[in-house]
Amino acid sequence: MKKSLKYTAVIVGLMLLPGMACYAGTWVPKWGLNSLATYDDNFFMDETGQDTWRYSIKPELSLHYLTPSIESSVEAELAVRRYSEFDEFDSEDPALRWDSSIRAERTTWTLGVGYQENSQRDFADLDTGQFNSNAIVETISIEPGISYQLTEKDVISLSFGHIERDYDSLDFADNENDSVNLGWQHQLNQRWTTTINGAVSEYAAERPGRDLTETEYENVTAGIIYQYAEGMTIDLSLGYFNSDQHRVVVVGPLLVITDEDNSGTLATLGFASDQPINDWSVNLQRGLYPSSQGQVEERDSVNVSYERKLSERSAAGIRGSWHDTDSQLNARESTEISPYYNYRLTPRLRLETSYSYRSFDRQAGSVDSNRIKAGLRYSF
């Protein structure tokens, strides 16, 4: 996959900004600077238990504009990371995101364009389980969409998605995922809303001279959203998926070709409450996730969060997650529990602290780690 495709899409997106600006007028800027020190007692998540300090600084810039018919925002950041023990993992990771929407009487047009660079190990627990790789992945995403108000209670939507990932290591497969999603939402009354969604996706992953995987998968889900009380919602959906995978593997002078069909169920159950003092959410999900190893994997997930506002300046909370990934190559299970405390030192300066316990279980065995973080976030 060509890197030029990524940069071309980002440049095209940026060229569209002046067109939006001619409708908008003034973009409102906001600057920020986030500095963080992290101690990790098991950097590679293995039996060796090697520890390290990580120091990071991340300047951030956001531009935002809002009118009755147009909303547009641009976010840019650069995360600079340095490690006390493993300088081969030092990185400078940029990210750029543009989201815009134009609303007419019945129609809303949306467009999202993004580019970012990340260290592959930052999400190894969900993707591959390889925490000892210093590979960098470049990701570009393009997400146009349209929604139309059919009646006072009915809305239909059509969206497209293109996500392309390019790795600087042959340990991972460059891949792209294209999808089309059609949805319908019907409001029964002030409390109850029903939803139906159908999606078709094509996923392709390739390591030149080693393997090629192409997967087509479709899914249909039906759900209901219940407004239990002010600031509290319950979201439930159930669905079915079907996938067709074609894989070519190079074994010496031979090509080994396999075809596989798979099907299963999808489900989401979510609870969310947004109150002046207490915010909390619980989300349970079974879904499909393309990985950097060329597989479309099934995963069961549980995510919970709770935050309590202690005063005008301080807040404390806890986040937890559990993921069980069913994979032909590396089935794995991960758990993370992270309490945190934030304190606003001044109107523009905030202290952020947290502790994280992580557990990772794979075929090679189970390991865990502890992380302690402390940092300052300054908003200009």
Side-chain angles (χ1 to χ4, degrees), residues 161-179:
H162 174 81
I163 300 178
E164 187 176 341
R165 299 181 179 91
D166 185 28
Y167 300 83
D168 65 356
S169 169
L170 291 179
D171 293 335
F172 308 97
D174 294 347
N175 59 82
E176 59 182 44
N177 192 78
D178 295 302
S179 61

Side-chain angles (χ1 to χ4, degrees), residues 313 343-351 376:
R313 288 191 170 190
Y343 184 80
R344 189 169 295 279
L345 299 169
T346 71
R348 296 183 178 274
L349 184 63
R350 185 173 68 178
L351 171 68
L376 294 173

